């Protein structure tokens, strides 16, 4: 009904019998049609039916994911695609394209591809957002500075920093006071502000500048 049926005529039999038998050769079917009349006379003809897989697999991507920087984006953590195929999926692979953001944040487009043995394939995309929402850590240290002959002394923010850091990138340091004079002899309280590349700021830490 899908690939056609042989027909036959006969000089003495108005309705000869038509049958068929199949032989599988590789991926092809050789269908031999046989017409037989009422007296047992018969004749054959072959039909070649090529069987091929032209249907793509059906693929389903995992849900989009959001992770904090420093957390794994491997499929074990963010999910894997699933796929089905009429003759079987031979491989499911992925490739990533990343658009960088601030610090080490980024947006990853993960393209999943499912393939079958005949080279048919199907794709789907998963978006993985790598965010930086965690503030850095501010660490201060006390310092001593000597006034110059002109009665002035300056410090940098780095002078009172004691290893402030961020898990997702670099930090920017700022100090509440960086210039001192004869009026500031003794201990002076300053605050160190630490900001990461995505604008997250740590609670300022206090340091003493002894002039």
């Amino acid at each position: 009904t899908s690939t056609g049926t042989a027909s036959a005529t006969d000089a003495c039999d108005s309705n000869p019998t038509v049958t068929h038998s199949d032989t599988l050769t590789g991926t092809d079917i050789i269908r031999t049609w046989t017409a037989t009349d009422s007296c047992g006379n018969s004749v054959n003809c072959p039909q070649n039916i090529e069987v091929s897989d032209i249907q793509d697999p059906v693929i389903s991507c995992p849900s989009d994911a959001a992770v904090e920087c420093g957390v794994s984006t491997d499929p074990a953590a963010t999910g894997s695609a699933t796929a089905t195929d009429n003759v079987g999926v031979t491989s499911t692979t992925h490739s990533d394209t990343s658009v960088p953001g601030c610090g080490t944040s980024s947006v990853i487009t993960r393209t999943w591809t499912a393939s079958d043995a005949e080279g048919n394939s199907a794709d789907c995309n998963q978006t993985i957002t790598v965010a930086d929402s965690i503030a850095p850590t501010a660490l201060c240290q006390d310092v001593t500075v000597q006034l110059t002959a002109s009665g002035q002394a300056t410090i940098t923010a780095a002078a009172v920093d004691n290893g402030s850091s961020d898990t997702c990138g670099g930090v920017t340091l700022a100090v509440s006071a960086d210039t001192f004079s004869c009026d500031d002899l003794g201990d002076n309280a300053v605050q160190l502000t630490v900001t990461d590349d995505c604008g997250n700021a740590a609670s300022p830490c206090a340091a003493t500048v002894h002039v």
Side-chain angles (χ1 to χ4, degrees):
T1 57
S2 299
T3 56
T5 303
S7 60
T9 58
D10 185 74
C12 300
D13 186 347
S14 60
N15 188 28
T17 301
V18 176
T19 59
H20 73 273
S21 62
D22 292 346
T23 301
L24 181 63
T25 304
T27 59
D28 292 346
I29 296 172
I30 305 300
R31 178 162 290 167
T32 301
W33 291 93
T34 302
T36 306
D37 66 17
S38 57
C39 288
N41 303 303
S42 64
V43 65
N44 298 327
C45 70
Q47 178 191 17
N48 183 65
I49 301 172
E50 181 181 355
V51 180
S52 61
D53 177 17
I54 59 173
Q55 183 173 329
D56 293 336
V58 176
I59 189 169
S60 178
C61 261
S63 300
D64 293 342
V67 299
E68 192 70 24
C69 62
V71 176
S72 175
T73 58
D74 288 344
T78 56
S80 297
T82 57
T84 58
D85 186 70
N86 58 329
V87 296
V89 176
T90 57
S91 67
T92 302
T93 60
H94 72 273
S95 61
D96 291 348
T97 301
S98 180
V99 177
C102 58
T104 56
S105 67
S106 62
V107 176
I108 299 171
T109 300
R110 177 163 292 168
T111 301
W112 290 92
T113 302
S115 303
D116 64 17
E118 296 298 318
N120 303 304
S121 63
D123 298 332
C124 66
N125 290 331
Q126 176 193 19
T127 299
I128 301 171
T129 302
V130 181
D132 176 8
S133 60
I134 299 176
T137 300
L139 296 175
C140 283
Q141 63 181 356
D142 298 337
V143 295
T144 298
V145 295
Q146 182 73 36
L147 293 178
T148 65
S150 62
Q152 295 289 319
T154 60
I155 64 167
T156 63
V160 296
D161 178 54
N162 192 28
S164 300
S165 62
D166 184 67
T167 57
C168 298
V171 293
T172 300
L173 307 175
V175 69
S176 59
D178 60 5
T179 303
F180 304 91
S181 66
C182 293
D183 295 335
D184 301 310
L185 293 176
D187 292 338
N188 298 266
V190 297
Q191 287 191 323
L192 178 68
T193 300
V194 181
T195 307
D196 68 17
D197 294 332
C198 290
N200 302 303
S203 298
C205 61
T208 298
V209 178
H210 182 74
V211 180

